[in-house]
């Protein structure tokens, strides 16, 4: 007879022999083998995330000034400083240097400029050879006031401004070369850690590439604006009985909006505004040709605006059949206060006076180049003494971002809101209209549209 099986309790088989040796009780939980590595990885991820966020903010800047400000703030955060100074100064360039401060007023910058450049770390970076090791890695001065060899003037300025240490870093990369340098100031003796130096060095090299692109872009925009200004009147004519003012701004790519004012026989005056389709150098060249041709036609037959635009249409169709343009030409007799105008697909003028603000009713017409032969009847009106005729291009309307009907209403409201004290000054009228239409300013708008406003005030 077999022995009875013992019952199983809590999953333990009683037939399995129990060891007589017991392990010592655990007094502490051992650390995981990879805890140190995990901490290091977490630190790296945190640093890379911070660097990624700062570079994204820098990449979002569209102007050089905004990028320089962002670089100063980001660098101060990376090295743990409160104030800083940046100098943009390309070696061998004739472009004036740019100086920007963080937490430093104009008077503070003036004091810093009195220190000899060779006595400062930033000056040694800017004037030294680009391949110097300290210029590449940055120069830390952990205790300025404790340095016995410190320049006396530098010591005086540091004491006055209240900084005790500094860290200077070049703005340089292999592709862009050296664009300048930056220095951050500490209120107490100290210097950035090795990790901080590494991060700010990576950030500075990326920032240098971004600054180089923005510098070239702003230089190209300045060249385009210069060419556009050269293609427009250098000064407005002086005709008895009428005063003129004009405002013009070229888009970043260069456009084809233009204006003109030229004296004609018998003390008459020709006013014109227009826009050539497209952008860039080709549109600017076409704008120059169109304006020059209109001047010639205006001298020969300016008293008939329809004939002037008809000749312009024929010229455009024969020489540049793939291009379209809009134009408005007005023949003015200031003594008689008489204006005869014709438009080809262009926006109607506005008349502003003490008793009225209204659009001139012009005939509908297609732009130049849209028809085999352009011709539309002219319109004649008489501005009263003290009234201003406002001519403009559609870029002024498009820059608002509104639909065209709302943009027209907005322009009417902006013109009607000109203070009565300013309505006898054409320059004040144009400036008020631009401020009301584009409150962010012509330069701060990100629109690619050109803007032209031409005002004629009849005495």
């Amino acid at each position: 007879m077999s022995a009875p099986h013992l019952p199983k309790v809590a999953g333990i088989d009683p037939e399995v022999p129990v060891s007589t040796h017991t392990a010592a009780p655990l007094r502490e939980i051992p650390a995981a083998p990879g805890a140190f590595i995990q901490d290091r990885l977490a630190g790296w991820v945190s640093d890379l995330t911070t660097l990624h966020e700062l570079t994204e903010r820098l990449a979002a800047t569209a102007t050089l000034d905004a990028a320089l400000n962002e670089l100063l703030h980001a660098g101060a955060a990376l090295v743990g400083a409160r104030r800083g100074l940046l100098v943009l100064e390309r070696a061998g360039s004739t472009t004036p240097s740019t100086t920007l401060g963080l937490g430093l007023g104009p008077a503070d910058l003036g004091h810093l400029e009195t220190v000899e450049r060779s006595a400062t770390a930033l000056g040694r970076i800017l004037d030294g050879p680009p391949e110097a090791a300290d210029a590449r890695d940055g120069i830390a001065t952990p205790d300025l006031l404790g340095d016995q060899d410190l320049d006396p003037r530098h010591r005086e300025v540091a004491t006055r401004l209240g900084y005790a240490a500094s860290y200077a870093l070049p703005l340089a990369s292999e592709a862009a070369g050296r664009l300048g340098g930056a220095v951050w100031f500490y209120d107490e003796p100290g210097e950035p850690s090795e990790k901080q130096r590494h991060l700010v060095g990576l950030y500075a090299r990326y920032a240098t590439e971004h600054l180089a692109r923005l510098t070239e872009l702003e230089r190209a925009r300045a060249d385009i604006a210069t060419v556009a200004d050269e293609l427009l009147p250098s000064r407005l004519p002086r005709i008895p009985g009428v005063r003129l003012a004009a405002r013009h701004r070229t888009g970043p790519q260069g456009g084809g909006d233009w204006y003109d004012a030229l004296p004609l026989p018998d003390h008459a005056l020709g006013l014109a505004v227009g826009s050539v389709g497209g952008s860039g150098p080709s549109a600017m060249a076409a704008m120059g040709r169109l304006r020059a041709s209109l001047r010639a036609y205006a001298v020969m037959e300016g008293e008939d605006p329809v004939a002037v635009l008809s000749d312009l249409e024929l010229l455009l169709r024969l020489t540049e059949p793939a291009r379209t343009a809009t134009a408005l030409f007005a023949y003015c007799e200031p003594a008689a206060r008489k204006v005869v105008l014709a438009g080809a697909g262009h926006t109607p003028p506005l008349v502003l006076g003490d008793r009225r603000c209204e659009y001139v009713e012009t005939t509908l017409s297609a732009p130049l180049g849209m028809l085999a032969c352009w011709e539309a009847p002219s319109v004649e009106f008489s501005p009263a003494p003290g009234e201003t005729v406002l001519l403009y291009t559609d870029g002024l309307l498009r820059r608002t971002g509104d639909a065209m009907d709302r943009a027209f209403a907005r322009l009417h409201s902006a013109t009607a809101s000109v203070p009565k004290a300013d309505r006898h000054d054409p320059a004040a009228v144009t400036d008020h209209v631009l401020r009301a239409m584009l409150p962010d300013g012509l330069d701060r708008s990100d629109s690619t549209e050109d803007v032209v406003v031409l005002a004629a005030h009849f005495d």
Side-chain angles (χ1 to χ4, degrees):
M1 185 174 177
S2 59
H5 291 281
L6 297 176
K8 295 181 179 180
V9 180
I12 299 176
D13 191 349
E15 295 183 354
V16 178
V18 180
S19 174
T20 59
H21 300 284
T22 58
L26 291 176
R27 301 187 180 278
E28 61 181 14
I29 300 175
F36 175 74
I37 297 177
Q38 290 178 358
D39 290 343
R40 291 291 300 272
L41 287 176
W44 290 340
V45 169
S46 176
D47 294 339
L48 290 175
T49 301
T50 301
L51 193 62
H52 177 68
E53 292 175 353
L54 293 176
T55 52
E56 275 197 330
R57 287 173 53 180
L58 180 66
T61 57
T63 64
L64 188 59
D65 288 341
L68 294 177
N69 274 290
E70 178 62 31
L71 192 158
L72 264 180
H73 283 83
L78 288 173
V79 301
R82 187 172 61 90
R83 292 177 290 178
L85 174 67
L86 185 150
V87 175
L88 200 64
E89 185 178 88
R90 184 185 289 271
S93 175
T94 58
T95 305
S97 62
T98 300
T99 302
L100 187 67
L102 170 65
L104 300 170
D108 300 332
L109 295 178
H111 288 306
L112 289 169
E113 289 178 354
T114 63
V115 181
E116 189 176 351
R117 280 174 58 129
S118 60
T120 65
L122 180 59
R124 293 196 295 273
I125 282 178
L126 294 173
D127 298 334
E131 64 276 6
D134 58 350
R136 291 196 308 269
D137 302 332
I139 301 176
T141 311
D143 188 4
L144 270 169
L145 301 181
D147 185 0
Q148 300 298 324
D149 298 327
L150 186 66
D151 179 80
R153 180 56 185 167
H154 193 183
R155 183 185 302 275
E156 180 183 347
V157 170
T159 303
R160 177 189 290 269
L161 300 185
Y163 64 88
S166 68
Y167 179 68
L169 189 68
L171 301 177
S173 69
E174 293 183 2
R178 189 175 62 199
L179 300 185
V183 60
W184 290 275
F185 301 110
Y186 297 89
D187 297 338
E188 302 292 338
E191 62 181 309
S193 64
E194 182 179 353
K195 182 178 73 171
Q196 288 176 318
R197 293 191 189 195
H198 179 66
L199 290 176
V200 76
L202 292 174
Y203 180 81
R205 285 191 287 275
Y206 175 83
T208 300
E209 300 288 346
H210 185 63
L211 291 178
R213 290 190 293 269
L214 290 179
T215 301
E216 293 300 324
L217 180 60
E218 293 209 354
R219 184 179 294 113
R221 289 176 177 175
D223 292 341
I224 287 174
T226 300
V227 173
D229 290 340
E230 291 296 327
L231 292 174
L232 297 174
S234 58
R235 61 184 180 87
L236 296 172
R238 295 184 178 181
I239 303 295
V242 64
R243 286 177 290 144
L244 304 174
R247 298 291 183 269
H248 172 257
R249 185 69 75 243
T250 303
Q253 299 178 355
D257 286 17
W258 55 277
Y259 70 93
D260 206 350
L262 66 156
L264 297 175
D266 300 327
H267 303 290
L269 174 68
L271 300 176
V273 290
S275 177
V276 174
S279 61
S282 63
M284 295 172 63
M287 175 262 284
R289 292 190 294 269
L290 202 67
R291 173 178 170 264
S293 301
L294 185 140
R295 289 176 70 91
Y297 298 144
V299 170
M300 293 185 295
E301 47 193 6
E303 68 279 358
D304 185 359
V306 171
V308 172
L309 294 185
S310 296
D311 292 341
L312 204 62
E313 157 71 24
L314 180 61
L315 175 72
L316 189 68
R317 181 160 48 90
L318 294 177
T319 59
E320 301 183 65
R323 191 178 296 278
T324 61
T326 66
L328 185 145
F329 178 73
Y331 177 80
C332 308
E333 296 180 11
R337 288 194 299 277
K338 172 185 172 183
V339 178
V340 182
L341 64 87
H346 205 80
T347 51
L350 260 169
V351 178
L352 172 66
D354 291 336
R355 298 183 178 180
R356 65 170 173 168
C357 178
E358 59 187 24
Y359 286 102
V360 177
E361 294 186 5
T362 57
T363 55
L364 295 176
S365 63
L368 300 172
M370 295 292 289
L371 299 176
C373 181
W374 178 90
E375 184 172 348
S378 60
V379 174
E380 180 179 331
F381 67 98
S382 297
E387 290 189 333
T388 300
V389 179
L390 199 69
L391 285 70
Y392 54 94
T393 59
D394 59 359
L396 176 63
L397 305 175
R398 297 186 187 279
R399 275 213 184 193
T400 63
D402 296 334
M404 290 304 287
D405 56 344
R406 294 190 61 184
F408 274 114
R410 185 171 175 177
L411 176 58
H412 183 276
S413 177
T415 307
S417 66
V418 175
K420 290 192 176 181
D422 294 336
R423 295 190 178 188
H424 296 277
D425 182 0
V429 171
T430 56
D431 291 338
H432 179 90
V433 169
L434 287 174
R435 285 195 303 268
M437 292 289 288
L438 307 172
D440 292 335
L442 287 170
D443 294 325
R444 289 192 291 268
S445 174
D446 58 357
S447 174
T448 59
E449 297 285 346
D450 291 9
V451 174
V452 166
V453 180
L454 177 62
H457 177 79
F458 290 84
D459 296 330

